Amino acid sequence: MDKPRVLVVGAGISGLALVRALMDRGLAVEVVERSADWQTSGAGLYLPANAVRALYRLGIGDEVAKRAERVVRQRLHDHRGRALAEFDVSGIWGDVGDCLAISRNDLHEVLRTATAGTDVRFDAEVSSVDAEGTVTFADGSMKSYDLIVGADGIHSAVRRSAFGGPEPRFLGQLCWRFLAEDSEIAGISDWTGRLGSGGRGFLTVQLGGGRVYCYADVNSPHPSAPDGDWRSLFADFAAPVPQLLEQGADAHFAALYESVGADWTRPHIVLIGDAAHACSPSMAQGGAMALEDALVLAELLGEEDDVTAALTAFQARRADRVQWVLDQNHRRDKARKLPTPLRNLTFRLVGERLFKANHAPLHTLP
């Protein structure tokens, strides 16, 4: 087929990953971003092996690995620091590859460099998208494309306009993310999750260079931040949590939502990443699924006779894999809500086995 005119809405990780994959196939892509400039974030990312594999297939794996820290072991403790489970990540992922930890800024910078020369228009907010592939922007301008890709996150303007919703579903969890300096704090290595009562959790992932990514979450019936200093919710957690919390005053707060609905395509329109299937961070698969989306969509656009056929094939090929991740996230989140003694016993007895089962189908290529 003739090379389609493609617009990618959103210059985040999923959008730039798709741009990179399409560039490798000789497709010219326009990108619009509603923010006024490149967005930066102090948060970190744990990249499971299937995400790292996708980065290598995008041709940027080596550069990412230079900036990242290899994660060798995963540990689960209770909030007092008592061990519940510990295992090598190689036992979970086998020959799929390494797991890495990296700051979101560093990953985004690698993607920006890898897509240099792409036409990116900032401060360009999408007002509506119609079934013929015409985009109307907030400034009143209009333009038509063969394919419009909504890579604009969980509150996607493309999803809202072209698909009519439904609105994302609140998962009953609140979280805080921040980076801390760990050079003078003992007891931090690799990936360590600490589980408290009431669905409270505190995760640390070592990033290297004296930095650690901290992620704290708690169950809540409401999506708004609680009154007072959020750090008091974790005051009973053992070291090194108290020392890390001293650096968390400016943590990024978010209520966690899940995209509802399994239809990601319309004529001339497709959703990828969080715009299509945002999910709980329980398995750290949100970024992995977005990177896989980019690879699969670019591959199919290069193989199929027309855009419609490519989109149909994309939906069919991605649906089961994404649904598996969503289902496993639900199961893991439910396990965390078990009565504390039962939850702790479960992880002590079958923690590694559960992690292996959660990830087994993701060993195959997407």
Side-chain angles (χ1 to χ4, degrees), residues 21-82:
L22 293 175
M23 287 173 63
D24 288 344
R25 289 163 176 78
L27 274 71
V29 184
E30 294 178 40
V31 181
V32 293
E33 168 59 46
R34 62 188 168 207
S35 301
D37 202 345
W38 295 115
Q39 292 296 290
T40 58
S41 167
L45 289 169
Y46 171 63
L47 299 172
N50 61 320
V52 177
R53 176 177 61 191
L55 291 166
Y56 275 100
R57 292 180 67 199
L58 286 168
I60 59 174
D62 286 335
E63 185 59 33
V64 170
K66 289 177 185 177
R67 297 169 177 246
E69 183 80 358
R70 186 165 172 250
V71 177
V72 178
R73 294 184 69 76
Q74 288 185 279
R75 300 173 177 84
L76 283 174
H77 294 172
D78 68 12
H79 74 289
R80 296 178 181 174
R82 295 175 297 198

Side-chain angles (χ1 to χ4, degrees), residues 273-291:
D274 281 355
H277 43 67
C279 61
S280 162
S282 178
M283 287 177 63
Q285 281 293 321
M289 292 297 102
L291 294 168

